[in-house]
Amino acid sequence: MDLVSGYKGMVELVFGNENSSSNEDSYVERVLDRISNGQLAEDRRTAMVELQSVVAESRAAQLAFGAMGFPVLMSVLKEERDDVEMVRGALETLVSALTPINHAKGSKDQVQPALMNSDLLSRESDSISLLLSLLSEEDFYVRYYTLQLLTALLTNSPTRLQEAILSIPRGITRLMDMLMDREVIRNEALLLLTYLTREAEEIQKIVVFEGAFEKVFSIIKEEGGSDGGVVVQDCLELLSNLLRKNASNQVLLRETIGFDPLISILKSRGSTYSFTQQKTVNLLSALETLNLLIMGDPKVDPAKDGNKLTNKTTLVQKKVLDHLLLLGVESQWAPVPVRCTALQCIGNLITEHPKNLDAIASKFLGDDVQEPALNSILRIILRTSSTQEFFAADYVFKCFCEKNSDGQTMLASTLIPQPQSMIHAPLEEDVNMSFGSMLLRSLTLSENDGDLETCCRAASVLSHVIKNNSQCKERVLKIKLEAPMHSLGDPEPLMHRMVKYLAVSSSMKNRNGKSALSSNSYLQLIILKLLIIWLADCPSAVQCFLESRPHLTYLLELVADSTATVFMRGLAAVILGECVIYNKSSDSEKDAFTIVDTFSQKIGLTSYFLKFDELQKSFLFASKSLEPRKVLTRSTAASMAEVEDVDEDSSSNQKDEELPILSSVFDSHFINTVKRLEADIRESIVIVYSQPKSKVAVVPAELEQRKGETDGEYIKRLKAFVEKQCTEIQDLLGRNATLAEDLSKTGGSESSSEQRVSGPSNRVQLETLQRDLQEVSKRLELLKEEKVKAESDASYYQNLASKMESDLKSLSDAYNSLEQANFHLEKEAKALKSGGVSISPDIEAIKAEAREEAQKESETELNDLLVCLGQEQSKVERLSARLMELGEDVDTLLEGIGDDLGLPEEVDDEDEDE
């Protein structure tokens, strides 16, 4: 066998060559020789016992056995079925060869003989088939050791064994038959099936087809339900494997035996309600199985997952909500992990399911004094000392308010401020309070450590009530809280009280200088989350927030605080951004431009945007998907059952606590909201920052000369208009220069250490600066055109004025000449009247001049006639030449033409002679 020879070479590599072989190697070889070649049956059985003993205790013996022992023992199992003791010994030896020896000394990277032996045995499909055939043997130990051997193989080589079992006819059927065997055999078969069905979907279907549901629930009932032992846990783990991400198996369970057997496990039995650790694990396993039915397949669109909706409807019809409320709300004696898991099941059961939402809203709890179930869950949030239980109960309200505007409105309608006497009433009296009164009472407690934590928890519930609901936001915005004493001031809005609590929680220091709420750092994050949800798409809330100037100052300090966490700085930056994008104020001291200008001067625009980058790089935002839910096994279930809240003074486990706490605050919906807001904030700030504070409306009428305005005044007004535009441009250029300076500082300080990481941020800032410069350039070009047009108009009017002045001068000169002519005429008229000598005109000179002009005119006309005759003569010559080319007689054609024209000439001549 090539595999065995190769394995033997590995043994020689570990233990040396034949000359230096260990005692175990030679001893195993001698024992195997006695088993295969011995003549006496008793001696062969003794050799088998010795082999099993040495293999179970020595790693070297396990390696030696793997090199040469498998053919010998498989031959025994195949050919000596009648010798039960030999078959038992062979199976027990094989189990020992596949079981790791933990007490052996050696490094972690040393060869693991158990894994190598499992790999060698699982390679031969005939070996697996032979082992499955042994399950039909009558001997108890043969079946028992065979199941143990298959389990060991499955633990070390799961995929190969699953493929081998699927290829063997009736392989799964033989294993399922073992569930009806004796208790020990049944338990081993159950454990084997649990390992076998974890990831193999085909095996899951075959197991269900073989009646796994009926057999599993029968075993659970036989073992006592949740009060049973570890067998119940194994049954529930097998049940979870069969239902996880397998809609067809879920439908089969629902349509055949139903959900009643599973729900019955959640029922509390007995009068003492004692919870052992095993019972806690069993209940956790049952709740985990229930969650698989409720959550559905994560790969399927929740809106189109009809199987999940049907499961939820059926479970509520089977009164599962009552059992969950009993475990999670009413059973305060139940362990914290059980209560938390039950509350999570309630949240998953009601989320986005109208009928189940109505069911939880109308549910009442209590025997003597009944109160709504939601009020009881709220009381858990406000009073529990367990952080886990707080987040589990808070999850119920998150699911209740998710896409349930009617439920939100119902809860918000009960938010009515209470008088001071009720605020300071004993806690026991809150049983008679409404939901809103209890919530507001918790929101208005004092500012000491314990009360502040209660206020923050109540703030978390309030954030669910107003989330994505404008009507509820406006309603809560109108709530005014009275001051503890009337002399301390007027009533203040609830939002202002929340910001006050945020500032107080941040400033509380202990003796070591660290935050007194270091282990409860989620309190500040919850209030920041509330403010983000409240301000989102609500201009009136933004206006209320900005009514108090210290609010903006505190947020700026929080964003710039290097001691604050990345999450606190990032969320504070988001709130500042919301004050810009949802700001509809017309007040120059509170408008969007002023807000941007304020934090640009205080912390710098680039530094502000870097807070978003730091938040996006955090592990919660950077992870592409949520971690898959862990499979509930023996080890994980035991660890869940032992979970308790860590003492506040313990810092060793603080990091381990941060992840679940932060994951609860930063759920996927909130993370997506923050990412969307960040994109809107960046775009809005760039738009606001690239525009001047006072927008100048260019009215065409301003470029026209006003009535009654002189040219000089008009030109001065145009110059003032252009100067004003240039001032606006200079202001924009100065602001963009600041942007460029901030960007260059950021690039210079981080290029050496975080060049790759800060690249996207610098690129965003550069693109923003380029867009700003482009806008300024366009505006500058527009102003230049307006300036050129104004100068052109001014030049036109100047030319027009000059022309009018010249025309006026010409008219004045003409008038003066007329005055002089008139003066001479008047003088001549006076001379004629007085009979004085008059200067007579020279008649002969006038005639001679007239004759000369007439002669010039006649000569001009004669010259014109001669030119016309010359043109006509040239035409006649051309026509004659053309006619001759065509063969016509020109003289013949011209006969008689001259006679007709000559008559008038003769007559004229005669007339002239006469």
Side-chain angles (χ1 to χ4, degrees):
M1 296 178 62
D2 294 338
L3 289 173
V4 174
S5 61
Y7 199 90
K8 188 173 182 179
M10 177 63 71
V11 175
E12 293 178 357
L13 179 63
V14 175
F15 294 102
N17 54 31
E18 295 180 359
N19 296 329
S20 60
S21 61
S22 63
N23 294 331
E24 288 87 349
D25 190 5
S26 59
Y27 179 73
V28 169
E29 185 175 2
R30 289 196 304 271
V31 173
L32 288 173
D33 181 69
R34 289 168 56 191
I35 295 173
S36 59
N37 299 322
Q39 299 298 323
L40 299 176
E42 192 64 30
D43 182 60
R44 296 178 68 236
R45 296 189 187 103
T46 304
M48 186 68 75
V49 173
E50 293 176 0
L51 179 62
Q52 189 276 330
S53 178
V54 70
V55 170
E57 296 178 358
S58 172
R59 291 166 55 90
Q62 286 184 337
L63 279 171
F65 173 80
M68 62 190 83
F70 280 111
V72 176
L73 295 193
M74 296 308 293
S75 176
V76 171
L77 296 178
K78 186 176 182 180
E79 300 175 0
E80 301 183 32
R81 291 283 189 96
D82 297 335
D83 194 339
V84 178
E85 291 187 15
M86 284 296 291
V87 173
R88 287 181 187 175
L91 290 171
E92 192 173 1
T93 303
L94 289 172
V95 171
S96 299
L98 271 58
T99 305
I101 301 176
N102 297 325
H103 60 78
K105 296 181 180 180
S107 60
K108 294 182 179 180
D109 56 351
Q110 190 175 359
V111 177
Q112 300 295 327
L115 295 177
M116 297 181 68
N117 291 339
S118 300
D119 181 75
L120 182 61
L121 183 59
S122 61
R123 287 178 182 273
E124 302 292 335
S125 58
D126 294 340
S127 301
I128 307 301
S129 178
L130 176 61
L131 294 175
L132 289 177
S133 66
L134 292 174
L135 294 176
S136 60
E137 294 292 325
E138 296 182 359
D139 185 74
F140 169 81
Y141 288 101
V142 170
R143 300 197 305 275
Y144 178 71
Y145 290 135
T146 301
L147 289 172
Q148 281 192 328
L149 181 57
L150 290 172
T151 303
L153 277 173
L154 189 61
T155 304
N156 297 329
S157 303
T159 304
R160 191 170 295 161
L161 185 63
Q162 290 171 357
E163 295 174 353
I165 292 178
L166 281 173
S167 63
I168 298 173
R170 299 190 75 252
I172 301 295
T173 304
R174 292 177 183 176
L175 294 176
M176 291 297 297
D177 292 340
M178 296 295 100
L179 292 179
M180 308 308 294
D181 208 321
R182 296 169 59 178
E183 182 176 345
V184 178
I185 299 293
R186 180 200 67 187
N187 296 345
E188 285 296 328
L190 185 62
L191 192 61
L192 175 62
L193 288 170
T194 300
Y195 291 142
L196 199 60
T197 55
R198 281 182 181 171
E199 299 295 338
E201 186 175 353
E202 292 296 325
I203 295 180
Q204 293 173 5
K205 294 179 180 179
I206 298 174
V207 169
V208 170
F209 182 76
E210 293 290 340
F213 290 142
E214 293 84 354
K215 294 177 181 178
V216 165
F217 283 119
S218 175
I219 296 173
I220 292 175
K221 184 177 180 180
E222 183 180 343
E223 292 291 323
S226 61
D227 294 316
V230 71
V231 176
V232 174
Q233 178 185 348
D234 292 337
C235 288
L236 290 171
E237 184 179 347
L238 174 60
L239 188 62
S240 297
N241 293 343
L242 298 177
L243 298 176
R244 185 176 293 107
K245 301 179 184 179
N246 199 321
S248 59
N249 286 354
Q250 293 181 12
V251 173
L252 188 61
L253 173 63
R254 186 177 67 239
E255 300 298 335
T256 53
I257 64 176
F259 297 148
D260 291 311
L262 177 61
I263 297 174
S264 64
I265 303 174
L266 302 177
K267 295 181 180 179
S268 299
R269 294 178 175 82
S271 57
T272 58
Y273 297 104
S274 60
F275 283 84
T276 62
Q277 182 177 6
Q278 186 58 55
K279 181 175 182 179
T280 300
V281 172
N282 291 343
L283 286 173
L284 289 174
S285 301
L287 292 171
E288 172 68 16
T289 305
L290 188 65
N291 245 332
L292 293 175
L293 297 172
I294 297 172
M295 297 299 292
D297 190 350
K299 297 181 181 179
V300 181
D301 185 3
K304 299 180 181 179
D305 195 348
N307 177 60
K308 180 178 71 174
L309 296 176
T310 305
N311 287 345
K312 289 184 177 182
T313 304
T314 305
L315 286 169
V316 172
Q317 291 175 352
K318 298 293 184 180
K319 307 297 181 182
V320 73
L321 195 56
D322 296 336
H323 300 295
L324 292 175
L325 288 171
L326 180 62
L327 281 175
V329 182
E330 295 183 280
S331 299
Q332 293 303 310
W333 57 86
V336 171
V338 173
R339 298 203 303 267
C340 293
T341 309
L343 288 169
Q344 290 171 355
C345 283
I346 294 174
N348 294 331
L349 190 64
I350 64 176
T351 182
E352 299 184 25
H353 195 291
K355 292 184 179 180
N356 293 357
L357 289 169
D358 294 338
I360 188 69
S362 60
K363 188 71 66 176
F364 281 80
L365 303 179
D367 297 329
D368 299 332
V369 179
Q370 291 192 338
E371 68 171 348
L374 293 177
N375 289 22
S376 300
I377 298 174
L378 177 61
R379 184 175 293 104
I380 292 175
I381 292 175
L382 302 177
R383 292 187 180 183
T384 182
S385 59
S386 169
T387 304
Q388 290 177 317
E389 190 172 13
F390 154 60
F391 281 113
D394 184 72
Y395 180 73
V396 176
F397 280 102
K398 175 184 178 297
C399 295
F400 180 81
C401 297
E402 191 71 32
K403 298 181 181 179
N404 182 21
S405 57
D406 293 337
Q408 290 174 304
T409 304
M410 182 267 292
L411 295 178
S413 64
T414 63
L415 293 171
I416 302 174
Q418 298 295 313
Q420 289 291 324
S421 58
M422 284 298 296
I423 292 177
H424 298 286
L427 292 175
E428 291 75 12
E429 296 185 9
D430 63 2
V431 178
N432 300 321
M433 287 185 179
S434 65
F435 173 88
S437 300
M438 194 189 312
L439 187 63
L440 282 178
R441 178 181 181 278
S442 302
L443 289 170
T444 54
L445 294 175
S446 61
E447 299 171 6
N448 59 53
D449 194 351
D451 290 342
L452 188 60
E453 182 174 357
T454 303
C455 295
C456 293
R457 292 182 176 185
S460 180
V461 178
L462 181 62
S463 67
H464 302 316
V465 174
I466 66 175
K467 181 181 179 182
N468 298 330
N469 193 316
S470 301
Q471 182 180 357
C472 292
K473 290 180 181 180
E474 297 290 346
R475 187 184 188 95
V476 177
L477 202 60
K478 297 177 182 178
I479 296 177
K480 303 289 185 180
L481 301 178
E482 295 182 4
M485 298 178 62
H486 292 287
S487 60
L488 296 179
D490 299 329
E492 62 178 344
L494 178 60
M495 176 180 286
H496 291 194
R497 183 72 62 89
M498 291 295 99
V499 180
K500 180 181 179 182
Y501 288 154
L502 175 62
V504 171
S505 63
S506 301
S507 61
M508 294 181 71
K509 305 290 182 179
N510 61 14
R511 297 177 182 178
N512 298 327
K514 299 180 180 179
S515 174
L517 299 174
S518 58
S519 62
N520 295 328
S521 58
Y522 65 89
L523 302 181
Q524 300 169 34
L525 296 177
I526 286 175
I527 299 181
L528 289 171
K529 180 179 179 180
L530 168 65
L531 293 176
I532 290 175
I533 293 174
W534 203 341
L535 297 180
D537 202 18
C538 187
S540 56
V542 173
Q543 183 178 358
C544 178
F545 179 82
L546 295 176
E547 286 178 356
S548 179
R549 186 67 181 180
H551 292 174
L552 189 62
T553 303
Y554 169 72
L555 282 182
L556 290 172
E557 293 175 353
L558 185 58
V559 171
D561 186 5
S562 59
T563 61
T565 64
V566 172
F567 302 104
M568 291 177 61
R569 294 196 301 267
L571 295 187
V574 173
I575 296 176
L576 284 175
E578 287 181 316
C579 292
V580 176
I581 60 179
Y582 301 119
N583 192 323
K584 306 299 181 183
S585 175
S586 58
D587 189 351
S588 60
E589 296 183 356
K590 299 177 183 178
D591 60 1
F593 184 90
T594 303
I595 303 300
V596 175
D597 195 49
T598 300
F599 64 70
S600 176
Q601 295 177 5
K602 296 290 185 180
I603 59 178
L605 201 59
T606 303
S607 177
Y608 172 76
F609 283 140
L610 284 179
K611 300 301 181 290
F612 289 123
D613 296 336
E614 293 173 359
L615 188 63
Q616 296 295 340
K617 293 172 188 175
S618 63
F619 62 93
L620 287 175
F621 282 77
S623 58
K624 296 182 180 180
S625 60
L626 297 176
E627 293 184 358
R629 196 180 186 91
K630 292 183 179 180
V631 178
L632 197 64
T633 61
R634 285 191 179 188
S635 58
T636 57
S639 62
M640 286 181 62
E642 296 173 357
V643 169
E644 296 292 342
D645 282 352
V646 180
D647 186 67
E648 292 186 2
D649 296 333
S650 177
S651 59
S652 59
N653 296 325
Q654 183 176 350
K655 293 184 178 180
D656 296 334
E657 286 186 339
E658 287 181 358
L659 180 58
I661 289 176
L662 292 175
S663 299
S664 300
V665 177
F666 291 90
D667 57 85
S668 58
H669 294 286
F670 183 65
I671 289 177
N672 293 332
T673 300
V674 171
K675 289 182 177 180
R676 176 180 55 81
L677 284 173
E678 180 198 350
D680 296 341
I681 290 169
R682 288 181 183 270
E683 182 178 357
S684 299
I685 288 180
V686 169
I687 293 175
V688 171
Y689 207 80
S690 62
Q691 294 178 351
K693 184 174 182 180
S694 57
K695 296 182 180 179
V696 180
V698 181
V699 183
E702 293 187 6
L703 299 178
E704 298 178 0
Q705 189 171 11
R706 297 173 182 173
K707 186 177 182 180
E709 186 179 28
T710 64
D711 295 335
E713 293 174 347
Y714 177 59
I715 293 173
K716 289 181 180 179
R717 187 166 58 83
L718 289 178
K719 288 183 177 179
F721 176 79
V722 173
E723 289 176 357
K724 188 177 182 181
Q725 295 282 29
C726 291
T727 303
E728 296 287 350
I729 293 174
Q730 293 298 325
D731 182 59
L732 283 175
L733 291 175
R735 295 182 180 276
N736 283 283
T738 304
L739 269 177
E741 184 179 357
D742 289 343
L743 185 61
S744 62
K745 289 181 180 179
T746 303
S749 61
E750 296 186 358
S751 59
S752 58
S753 60
E754 296 182 357
Q755 183 175 2
R756 183 179 60 85
V757 178
S758 62
S761 174
N762 291 342
R763 187 164 56 254
V764 170
Q765 296 296 326
L766 183 59
E767 291 175 356
T768 302
L769 182 61
Q770 288 176 346
R771 287 196 297 267
D772 292 342
L773 291 176
Q774 289 176 359
E775 292 293 332
V776 171
S777 299
K778 291 179 181 178
R779 191 172 182 83
L780 184 60
E781 291 296 330
L782 179 62
L783 291 176
K784 286 182 178 179
E785 292 177 1
E786 293 175 354
K787 181 181 178 181
V788 170
K789 183 179 179 181
E791 292 176 349
S792 175
D793 292 341
S795 177
Y796 168 75
Y797 286 116
Q798 286 180 346
N799 295 333
L800 183 62
S802 300
K803 183 179 179 181
M804 292 177 68
E805 288 178 359
S806 62
D807 292 344
L808 182 61
K809 185 177 180 180
S810 299
L811 288 174
S812 178
D813 294 340
Y815 179 77
N816 291 332
S817 63
L818 287 175
E819 287 288 338
Q820 292 179 358
N822 186 34
F823 176 76
H824 287 298
L825 290 175
E826 288 179 352
K827 186 176 180 181
E828 290 179 359
K830 288 180 180 180
L832 290 174
K833 287 180 180 180
S834 61
V837 179
S838 173
I839 301 175
S840 61
D842 190 353
I843 299 175
E844 292 298 332
I846 294 174
K847 287 183 177 181
E849 184 178 355
R851 188 181 298 112
E852 184 178 355
E853 291 179 357
Q855 185 177 0
K856 289 181 179 180
E857 291 179 358
S858 62
E859 289 178 357
T860 302
E861 292 177 357
L862 182 61
N863 291 331
D864 293 338
L865 289 174
L866 291 175
V867 170
C868 291
L869 288 175
Q871 291 175 352
E872 292 297 327
Q873 183 64 32
S874 63
K875 291 180 181 179
V876 169
E877 291 176 354
R878 291 179 181 178
L879 290 173
S880 300
R882 181 60 178 166
L883 290 173
M884 291 177 66
E885 291 177 0
L886 295 174
E888 296 289 341
D889 189 358
V890 178
D891 296 333
T892 305
L893 291 173
L894 295 177
E895 287 181 357
I897 295 177
D899 297 339
D900 295 335
L901 296 173
L903 289 174
E905 294 180 356
E906 293 178 357
V907 174
D908 292 339
D909 293 339
E910 291 177 357
D911 292 338
E912 290 178 359
D913 294 337
E914 292 178 357

